[in-house]
C-alpha cells in the first residue's frame, strides 16, 4: 500500500472515531433537553405568582424597600452572568458573555460601578484570562442546577442589595442568561431583577389592566417585603439557571449534530481520495506488469535470433 493511501486510511479512521463521539454527545444532549424543559415549565408558575405577590404588596403600600424602590442616585450595580461549565456548545457561552459586556458598558456609561458575579467555568475563564475582577463565582452545576444551587448564588446578591452602595453594596441587581425559546432558538437576555419594575412585573403577570384588591399587611408591608425578597431573588435565579441549562443542551445538540454531519461529509471526501489513490496504484501496477511483460517478450525474441 502506498504512502498516500495509508495517510487517507488513517485520517478516515480518525474522523470516524470523532463522528462516533459527536453522535453520542448529540444524543445525550437531546435526551437532557426534555428534562430541562419540564423543569423550566414547572418553575415558571411559582416565579410568576411570587412576582404577582410582590407587585400586590408594592402597589398596596407606600413602604420604601430595596425590592421595589429605586435609589435616587444609583451608584453601584451587581450583574450576575450565567454561562456553561463545559464547551462544545457552539456560541452559547460567548453570546451570553457579549450580552453581559454590553450591559456592563451601558451601566458604566450611566455612571455606575459594576460588580460582576459569574456562574459557569467559561465565564470565569473569560474574565480570568483578561484579569478582570469578579466578586464571586460558582461552577459545577450549570447543566443540571437545583434550587439549592440557586439559593447559594442568591445569598451574596441579596446581601449586596441590602447593603448601602457606599459600603460595598448595590443599588441594582441585573441578571444575564440565555432564554430558551425553542429547540432552534436560544436568546441571551439581560433583566433587572431589583429594584422590581412594577409596570414590567404587571405585564409579566397579566395584572396591568386589573384592579387589585386592598390588602392589610401583618405585621407590616415592610416585613412582608423582607420575607418575599430572598424568595423572589432565589426563584428568579433558579428559573434563569434552568432556562440556561435547557439552552445549553439545545446549543450543544445543534453543535454536535453539525459536527457529526461535517464528519460524515469529510469521510465521504476522504474515501473518494483514497479510492482515487488506490485506483492510481492499481493502474501503476498494471502498467508495470505490462511494461515488464513487453520487455521480457522483446528480450526473448532477441535471443531467438
Amino acid at each position: 500500500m502506498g504512502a498516500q493511501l495509508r495517510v487517507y486510511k488513517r485520517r478516515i479512521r480518525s474522523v470516524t472515531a470523532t463522528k462516533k463521539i459527536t453522535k453520542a454527545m448529540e444524543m445525550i444532549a437531546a435526551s437532557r433537553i426534555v428534562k430541562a424543559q419540564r423543569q423550566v415549565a414547572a418553575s415558571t408558575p411559582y416565579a410568576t405568582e411570587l412576582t404577582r405577590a410582590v407587585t400586590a404588596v408594592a402597589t398596596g403600600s407606600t413602604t420604601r424597600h430595596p425590592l421595589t424602590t429605586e435609589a435616587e442616585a444609583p451608584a453601584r450595580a451587581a450583574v450576575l452572568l450565567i454561562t456553561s461549565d463545559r464547551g462544545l456548545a457552539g456560541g452559547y457561552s460567548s453570546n451570553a458573555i457579549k450580552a453581559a459586556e454590553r450591559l456592563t458598558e451601558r451601566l458604566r456609561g450611566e455612571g455606575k460601578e459594576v460588580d460582576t458575579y459569574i456562574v459557569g467555568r467559561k465565564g470565569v475563564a473569560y474574565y480570568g484570562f483578561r484579569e478582570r475582577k469578579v466578586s464571586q463565582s460558582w461552577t459545577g452545576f450549570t447543566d443540571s442546577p437545583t434550587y439549592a444551587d440557586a439559593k447559594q448564588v442568591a445569598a451574596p446578591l441579596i446581601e449586596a442589595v441590602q447593603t448601602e452602595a457606599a459600603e460595598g453594596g448595590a443599588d441594582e441587581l441585573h441578571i444575564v442568561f440565555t432564554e430558551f425559546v425553542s429547540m432552534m432558538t436560544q436568546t441571551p437576555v439581560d433583566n433587572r431583577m431589583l429594584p422590581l419594575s412594577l409596570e414590567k412585573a404587571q405585564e409579566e403577570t397579566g395584572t396591568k389592566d386589573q384592579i387589585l384588591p386592598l390588602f392589610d399587611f401583618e405585621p407590616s408591608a415592610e416585613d412582608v417585603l423582607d420575607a418575599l425578597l430572598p424568595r423572589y431573588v432565589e426563584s428568579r435565579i433558579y428559573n434563569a439557571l434552568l432556562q440556561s441549562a435547557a439552552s445549553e443542551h439545545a446549543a450543544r445538540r445543534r453543535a454536535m449534530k453539525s459536527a457529526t454531519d461535517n464528519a460524515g461529509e469529510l469521510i465521504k471526501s476522504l474515501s473518494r481520495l483514497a479510492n482515487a489513490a488506490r485506483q492510481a496504484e492499481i493502474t501503476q501496477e498494471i502498467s508495470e506488469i505490462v511494461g515488464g511483460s513487453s520487455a521480457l517478450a522483446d528480450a526473448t525474441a532477441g535471443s531467438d535470433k
Side-chain angles (χ1 to χ4, degrees), residues 107-120:
L107 292 174
R108 286 175 177 165
E110 296 172 357
K112 302 169 186 173
E113 294 184 35
V114 178
D115 294 328
T116 304
Y117 298 78
I118 300 178
V119 174

Side-chain angles (χ1 to χ4, degrees), residues 61 72 86 121 124 133 152 210 230 240 278 281-282 291 298:
S61 69
E72 295 180 0
R86 298 184 295 125
R121 291 189 178 92
V124 173
K133 181 181 177 182
Q152 180 184 0
Q210 294 181 6
R278 179 59 180 159
E281 285 188 5
I282 293 173
D298 293 341

Side-chain angles (χ1 to χ4, degrees), residues 94-138:
S94 61
N95 290 337
I97 292 171
K98 289 176 183 177
E101 293 277 74
R102 290 192 295 268
L103 173 62
T104 300
E105 289 299 320
R106 177 166 61 83
L107 292 174
R108 286 175 177 165
E110 296 172 357
K112 302 169 186 173
E113 294 184 35
V114 178
D115 294 328
T116 304
Y117 298 78
I118 300 178
V119 174
R121 291 189 178 92
K122 290 299 178 180
V124 173
Y126 177 88
Y127 278 75
F129 180 76
R130 287 158 181 79
E131 298 183 350
R132 297 182 184 177
K133 181 181 177 182
V134 176
S135 298
Q136 199 162 341
S137 63
W138 302 266

Side-chain angles (χ1 to χ4, degrees), residues 19-258:
K19 182 181 178 181
K20 291 179 180 178
I21 295 172
T22 56
K23 183 64 177 179
M25 294 182 68
E26 176 191 348
M27 296 176 66
I28 292 171
S31 67
R32 290 178 176 176
I33 292 174
V34 178
K35 179 182 177 181
Q37 283 181 292
R38 289 174 181 169
Q39 289 179 318
V40 171
S43 70
T44 300
Y46 175 75
T48 301
E49 289 303 318
L50 196 54
T51 304
R52 191 194 303 270
V54 173
T55 304
V57 177
T59 55
S61 69
T62 58
T63 302
R64 294 184 61 84
H65 193 275
L67 181 57
T68 57
T69 306
E70 295 192 26
E72 295 180 0
R76 201 176 193 92
V79 175
L80 174 63
L81 168 62
I82 300 177
T83 61
S84 67
D85 284 324
R86 298 184 295 125
L88 301 177
Y92 164 75
S93 292
S94 61
N95 290 337
I97 292 171
K98 289 176 183 177
E101 293 277 74
R102 290 192 295 268
L103 173 62
T104 300
E105 289 299 320
R106 177 166 61 83
L107 292 174
R108 286 175 177 165
E110 296 172 357
K112 302 169 186 173
E113 294 184 35
V114 178
D115 294 328
T116 304
Y117 298 78
I118 300 178
V119 174
R121 291 189 178 92
K122 290 299 178 180
V124 173
Y126 177 88
Y127 278 75
F129 180 76
R130 287 158 181 79
E131 298 183 350
R132 297 182 184 177
K133 181 181 177 182
V134 176
S135 298
Q136 199 162 341
S137 63
W138 302 266
T139 60
F141 55 80
T142 59
D143 60 345
S144 183
T146 64
Y147 196 82
D149 298 323
K151 291 185 68 174
Q152 180 184 0
V153 174
L157 296 171
I158 294 170
E159 182 180 353
V161 297
Q162 290 177 331
T163 306
E164 294 293 333
E167 300 175 2
D171 297 313
E172 297 178 356
L173 173 57
H174 299 258
I175 182 169
V176 179
F177 66 100
T178 306
E179 182 180 18
F180 182 85
V181 180
S182 66
M183 292 288 287
M184 298 302 297
T185 306
Q186 299 86 42
T187 308
V189 296
D190 62 88
N191 291 337
R192 192 183 76 175
M193 283 197 295
L194 295 175
L196 177 66
S197 173
L198 295 181
E199 183 177 351
K200 185 176 180 180
Q202 288 172 345
E203 290 179 358
E204 291 180 359
T205 57
T207 59
K208 184 175 182 180
D209 299 324
Q210 294 181 6
I211 299 176
L212 296 176
L214 296 176
F215 293 94
D216 289 329
F217 303 106
E218 294 291 344
S220 67
E222 184 175 1
D223 290 333
V224 173
L225 288 173
D226 285 339
L228 289 177
L229 173 61
R231 289 172 175 78
Y232 169 76
V233 175
E234 290 166 4
S235 68
R236 282 297 175 182
I237 291 177
Y238 181 51
N239 186 260
L241 287 172
L242 293 177
Q243 294 256 11
S244 297
S247 299
E248 178 185 347
H249 294 316
R252 182 168 291 112
R253 186 201 67 82
R254 190 167 62 251
M256 291 300 99
K257 184 179 187 307
S258 178

